[in-house]
């Protein structure tokens, strides 16, 4: 949510920041802005996407610049509300990701001396800094930070010094170390082209980038010695590599990512499986797509391990916190590792001394660092807002854990390897063409329904979510038997309904459910290893028996992609959404 980048060095900071903002657009893209330091601060702000910006001549060369791409929280999408925000005298500029919860109170206090120019919570920050500038820039930032409540990642510059100051509490910031140059950004891909040597800033730390980099503890003011690490992601992974969209690239990457997700250290998996087995209550906590992976995995655990798992949406977890004890195991699942609700749940778990074992994709993310143990998905950077490859990797890793819990790690691995090898079949040109044909057929429908039973019920939820966010068609997922408990009233002649029919114990009932919908005029799209007279349109998938969720997901992702394309949607940057939800 909101992307931040700053640069100080010998190269042209404005072009590096603009380039970085383009790579961060998945975090927010309703407006953007940049402040660079020359004789005075040059500030450019625009509504819309940075790619649409033509007038490059407006960007003066500079060695220090900060930039921001916005996902609006406080205040409409206007130029005035776009970041950077400045002090009234325009000598200080600040970009911010997060929410300042006490901004109204702070604003009231400041209004005597300041005329505010935006509706944002952020603007109080440069104004507070301005109030304290007599103490010096660094001190003024520190004093101001102490007044802020809420979550933030902040980067500030000042007209009179060659300095960038950055601080975080709850929202991500990572420093990039180059040769005689420094970067600061919300995420590594923003500067990966220049360096892969990074330092992750922790909550309560302040970075001061001058000729050299210094990091301080905000409370004690003590300088901290932090080691840099090398990130293994390559630039190529963070680029489209010839695909028209990141989403399509990431769908196709599933030919490899599943294998990577299960290539974990056996001993680690067995150790965690033992923890799950002895744990007194296990919670899977996640949001959105990752929640659907957790829900699917709870069925897998029930079937394979005969173990009950509590699956809770991270945002709803405060209602469950009182069940936590020292013996509880909390397993947060998150692609970004920065989702605010997930991090809050982890904080609650740690307060109750529950053990936290994270499943996460982004290396060095807050979740990874705040958990007792973490498993990485190794899916590489996922840039498209709609999550695809991370989802199937989560399914694969959680399935592996379920098998390990029942002492069948090798069997699980073999099954997952076989399933992974079948992914290419769904991604053959003939299969994708079939899905394109379907997308053309149903692109003007107002509603799409999706049903699945057992392990494929959460896949129906996930398929509906993908269709909604990428194509903006209303879609809803149901358990096979549930549509007739009300929503069947919406089925009209030709209403598309996707049915996942796996070769398992739910097959007959799923076919009956499809028939019930068909009898009311529904247009049945069967996703199955075998055609059936119930289907009006058939999407053939390889038979993967108990691992059908992984396989069934992929045609649904492709359908969402092609529906979005047919309807002219912005595939990688879905309307109103952002990749990493760092606000509650
Ligand atoms: C949907 C999607 C979101 C995320 C959710 C959680 O395609 O991407 O629903 O799954 O915001 O994000 P992470 O996994 O980063 O915690």
């Amino acid at each position: 949510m909101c992307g931040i980048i700053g640069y100080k060095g010998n190269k042209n900071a404005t072009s590096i920041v603009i380039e970085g903002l383009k790579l961060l657009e998945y975090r927010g893209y309703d407006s953007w802005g940049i402040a660079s330091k020359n004789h005075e601060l040059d500030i450019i702000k625009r509504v819309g996407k940075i790619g649409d910006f033509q007038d490059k001549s407006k960007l003066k060369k500079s060695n220090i610049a900060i930039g921001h791409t916005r996902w609006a929280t406080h205040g409409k999408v206007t130029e005035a509300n776009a970041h950077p925000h400045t002090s009234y005298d325009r000598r200080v500029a600040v970009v911010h990701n997060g929410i300042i919860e006490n901004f109204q109170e702070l604003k009231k206090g400041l209004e005597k001396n300041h005329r505010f120019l935006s509706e944002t919570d952020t603007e109080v920050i440069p104004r507070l800094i301005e109030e304290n500038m007599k103490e010096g820039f660094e001190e003024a930032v520190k004093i101001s930070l102490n007044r802020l409540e809420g979550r933030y990642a902040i980067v500030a510059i000042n007209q009179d010094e060659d300095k960038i100051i950055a601080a975080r509490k709850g929202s991500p910031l990572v420093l990039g170390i180059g040769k005689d140059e420094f970067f600061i950004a919300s995420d590594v891909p923003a500067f990966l082209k220049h360096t892969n040597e990074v330092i992750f800033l922790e909550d309560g730390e302040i970075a001061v980038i001058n000729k050299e980099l210094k990091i301080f503890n905000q409370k004690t003011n003590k300088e901290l010695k932090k080691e840099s690490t090398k990130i293994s992601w390559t630039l190529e992974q963070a680029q489209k590599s010839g695909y028209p969209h990141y989403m399509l690239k990431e769908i196709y990457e599933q030919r490899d990512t599943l294998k990577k997700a299960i290539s974990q250290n056996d001993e680690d998996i067995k150790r965690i499986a033992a923890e799950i087995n002895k744990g007194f209550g296990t919670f899977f906590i996640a949001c959105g797509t990752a929640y659907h992976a957790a829900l699917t995995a709870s069925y897998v655990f029930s079937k394979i391990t005969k173990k009950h798992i509590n699956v809770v949406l991270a945002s709803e977890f405060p209602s469950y916190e009182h069940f936590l004890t020292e013996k509880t195991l909390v397993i947060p699942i998150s692609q970004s590792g920065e989702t605010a609700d997930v991090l809050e749940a982890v904080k609650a778990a740690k307060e109750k001394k529950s053990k936290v074992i994270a499943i996460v994709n982004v290396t060095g993310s807050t979740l990874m660092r705040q958990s007792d143990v973490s498993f990485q998905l190794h899916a590489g950077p996922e840039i498209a807002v709609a999550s695809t490859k991370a989802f199937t990797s989560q399914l694969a890793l959680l399935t592996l854990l379920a098998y390990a819990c029942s002492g069948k790690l090798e069997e699980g691995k073999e099954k997952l390897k076989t399933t992974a090898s079948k992914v290419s079949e769904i991604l053959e040109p003939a299969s994708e063409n079939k899905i394109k044909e379907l997308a053309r057929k149903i692109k003007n429908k107002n509603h799409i329904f999706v049903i699945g039973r057992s392990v494929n019920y959460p896949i129906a939820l996930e398929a509906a979510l993908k269709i909604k966010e990428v194509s903006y068609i209303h879609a809803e997922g149901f358990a096979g038997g549930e549509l007739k408990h009300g929503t069947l009233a919406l089925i009209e002649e030709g209403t598309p309904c996707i049915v996942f029919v796996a070769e398992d114990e739910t097959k007959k009932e799923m076919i009956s459910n499809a028939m019930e919908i068909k009898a009311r005029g529904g247009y049945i799209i069967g996703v199955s290893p075998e055609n059936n007279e119930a289907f009006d349109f058939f999407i053939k998938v390889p038979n993967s028996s108990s691992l059908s969720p992984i396989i069934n997901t992929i045609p649904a992702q492709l359908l969402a992609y092609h529906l979005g394309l047919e309807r002219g949607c912005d595939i990688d940057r879905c309307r109103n959404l952002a990749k990493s939800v760092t606000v509650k």
Side-chain angles (χ1 to χ4, degrees):
M1 274 243 137
C2 297
I4 288 179
I5 175 156
Y7 174 82
K8 179 178 185 314
N10 300 326
K11 298 186 191 131
N12 181 11
T14 46
S15 25
I16 288 177
V17 164
I18 290 281
E19 191 182 53
L21 285 181
K22 283 185 191 158
L23 292 162
L24 285 172
E25 260 194 329
Y26 65 89
R27 302 180 67 88
Y29 31 80
D30 50 41
S31 53
W32 61 273
I34 170 167
S36 53
K37 185 185 163 280
N38 282 302
H39 297 302
E40 48 188 25
L41 293 183
D42 291 317
I43 294 172
I44 293 180
K45 304 204 225 184
R46 292 287 184 273
V47 166
K49 294 176 182 120
I50 195 157
D52 304 337
F53 181 59
Q54 298 298 337
D55 200 357
K56 301 268 173 354
S57 62
K58 287 226 157 68
L59 297 166
K60 289 193 201 133
K61 280 195 174 164
S62 165
N63 296 120
I64 295 191
I66 58 175
H68 185 271
T69 175
R70 181 171 186 242
W71 186 87
T73 59
H74 292 62
K76 291 196 198 71
V77 179
T78 61
E79 238 169 62
N81 289 334
H83 299 215
H85 291 283
T86 64
S87 52
Y88 195 66
D89 62 10
R90 287 177 70 91
R91 299 178 89 85
V92 173
V94 171
V95 290
H96 163 224
N97 168 25
I99 291 181
I100 305 303
E101 283 161 7
N102 60 337
F103 86 100
Q104 283 170 325
E105 188 189 317
L106 292 170
K107 200 166 173 175
K108 256 196 203 124
L110 288 161
E111 257 161 356
K112 284 183 251 101
N113 300 335
H114 293 257
R115 193 164 67 82
F116 282 83
L117 306 173
S118 79
E119 303 155 314
T120 64
D121 52 335
T122 303
E123 202 182 357
V124 297
I125 306 168
R127 302 311 178 89
L128 280 173
I129 297 175
E130 184 172 22
E131 290 277 301
N132 294 292
M133 272 307 260
K134 52 188 170 308
E135 310 292 336
F137 181 39
E138 232 174 283
E139 201 47 38
V141 172
K142 286 178 190 162
I143 296 170
S144 309
L145 291 178
N146 288 337
R147 305 268 321 265
L148 305 180
E149 285 167 22
R151 310 170 70 82
Y152 55 76
I154 289 164
V155 180
I157 54 171
N158 148 35
Q159 185 187 307
D160 304 308
E161 284 164 88
D162 280 350
K163 217 181 243 180
I164 298 181
I165 305 185
R168 70 160 277 177
K169 183 182 152 208
S171 300
L173 270 184
V174 55
L175 289 146
I177 325 283
K179 193 174 173 319
D180 302 322
E181 61 182 0
F182 297 101
F183 304 79
I184 176 94
S186 308
D187 206 350
V188 178
F191 56 71
L192 195 57
K193 183 177 166 187
H194 305 278
T195 182
N196 67 348
E197 190 177 341
V198 304
I199 295 179
F200 292 98
L201 214 58
E202 300 286 348
D203 281 355
E205 290 178 354
I206 300 184
V208 179
I209 302 169
N210 204 346
K211 284 208 177 69
E212 48 185 16
L213 166 70
K214 288 190 175 175
I215 300 173
F216 299 92
N217 177 304
Q218 193 182 322
K219 260 201 196 127
T220 61
N221 224 356
K222 274 211 176 117
E223 192 180 338
L224 306 165
K225 289 278 159 248
K226 292 189 67 147
E227 292 296 318
S228 61
T229 47
K230 292 227 163 145
I231 290 284
S232 59
W233 287 359
T234 61
L235 183 64
E236 148 100 296
Q237 283 179 306
Q239 288 175 333
K240 282 190 206 152
S241 311
Y243 285 89
H245 299 98
Y246 282 112
M247 183 179 177
L248 193 62
K249 177 189 176 221
E250 287 157 11
I251 291 174
Y252 272 83
E253 279 177 337
Q254 292 171 113
R255 290 179 292 202
D256 295 319
T257 48
L258 285 170
K259 292 175 208 140
K260 287 186 185 150
I262 56 172
S263 58
Q264 305 281 342
N265 180 306
D266 282 1
E267 290 318 305
D268 289 347
I269 292 275
K270 282 185 192 158
R271 198 164 37 80
I272 298 309
E275 298 257 9
I276 298 178
N277 283 338
K278 74 168 195 255
F280 191 73
T282 301
F283 284 88
F284 284 168
I285 298 166
C287 299
T289 286
Y291 171 76
H292 296 152
L295 201 56
T296 313
S298 73
Y299 281 90
V300 179
F301 269 82
S302 164
K303 279 182 157 187
I304 312 275
T305 322
K306 313 281 177 277
K307 182 155 180 79
H308 172 71
I309 306 277
N310 303 286
V311 186
V312 184
L313 284 166
S315 54
E316 291 296 312
F317 195 62
S319 307
Y320 288 83
E321 277 167 26
H322 50 273
F323 293 123
L324 297 176
T325 68
E326 286 178 18
K327 291 184 185 159
T328 316
L329 199 58
V330 171
I331 306 192
I333 300 150
S334 170
Q335 187 285 128
S336 63
E338 299 294 348
T339 302
D341 287 317
V342 174
L343 296 179
E344 281 295 310
V346 167
K347 196 167 146 212
K350 298 210 89 174
E351 273 161 20
K352 295 276 180 82
K353 301 202 165 37
S354 308
K355 182 147 191 175
V356 179
I357 299 167
I359 295 190
V360 61
N361 189 38
V362 175
T363 316
S365 57
T366 309
L367 179 60
M368 193 175 157
R369 285 172 293 126
Q370 288 184 353
S371 305
D372 298 307
V373 181
S374 66
F375 282 106
Q376 271 188 265
L377 296 173
H378 304 302
E382 192 182 67
I383 310 266
V385 164
S387 183
T388 52
K389 60 176 178 174
F391 177 69
T392 46
S393 292
Q394 287 158 350
L395 290 181
L397 183 47
L398 286 162
T399 302
L400 194 67
L401 265 180
Y403 274 93
C405 283
S406 51
K408 298 185 216 155
L409 179 61
E410 280 314 311
E411 184 187 328
K413 238 189 214 169
E414 280 317 305
K415 286 200 159 145
L416 281 157
K417 275 186 198 157
T418 313
T419 303
S421 67
K422 290 179 180 170
V423 167
S424 307
E425 289 178 41
I426 319 162
L427 294 169
E428 289 290 322
S431 314
E432 196 183 340
N433 286 340
K434 194 87 200 278
I435 289 169
K436 279 187 200 164
E437 180 195 329
L438 176 63
R440 280 194 291 272
K441 258 197 177 105
I442 64 173
K443 67 178 180 198
N444 293 322
K445 297 289 180 185
N446 294 325
H447 311 280
I448 297 176
F449 296 99
V450 194
I451 57 169
R453 276 180 185 253
S454 180
V455 283
N456 280 301
Y457 159 50
I459 302 306
L461 301 180
E462 174 58 11
L465 178 62
K466 283 290 93 83
I467 293 170
K468 275 185 278 201
E469 62 187 338
V470 184
S471 75
Y472 315 149
I473 299 178
H474 168 243
E476 267 187 88
F478 291 94
E482 272 301 299
L483 198 65
K484 57 181 170 283
H485 293 288
T487 312
L488 202 58
L490 293 179
I491 301 289
E492 292 172 349
E493 200 56 42
T495 305
C497 186
I498 301 169
V499 293
F500 290 116
V501 183
E503 289 294 333
D504 63 14
E505 69 287 355
T506 66
K507 181 174 176 177
K508 283 196 184 127
E509 282 167 344
M510 277 306 299
I511 295 291
S512 304
N513 295 144
M515 285 299 198
E516 289 154 12
I517 300 165
K518 195 179 169 84
R520 278 136 190 107
Y523 180 75
I524 305 298
I525 300 152
V527 179
S528 178
E530 250 183 36
N531 204 348
N532 189 284
E533 64 181 89
F535 303 158
D536 297 302
F537 194 97
F538 173 48
I539 297 175
K540 187 172 171 56
V541 288
N543 186 357
S544 49
S545 53
S546 60
L547 299 186
S548 60
I550 295 176
I551 292 293
N552 286 344
T553 298
I554 297 171
Q557 294 169 342
L558 275 175
L559 178 62
Y561 173 81
H562 284 291
L563 280 171
L565 213 56
E566 287 290 333
R567 289 165 64 89
C569 302
D570 191 344
I571 303 282
D572 286 335
R573 294 170 294 198
C574 318
R575 181 172 72 194
N576 302 336
L577 302 179
K579 181 75 183 157
S580 168
V581 186
T582 54
V583 292
K584 289 216 294 174

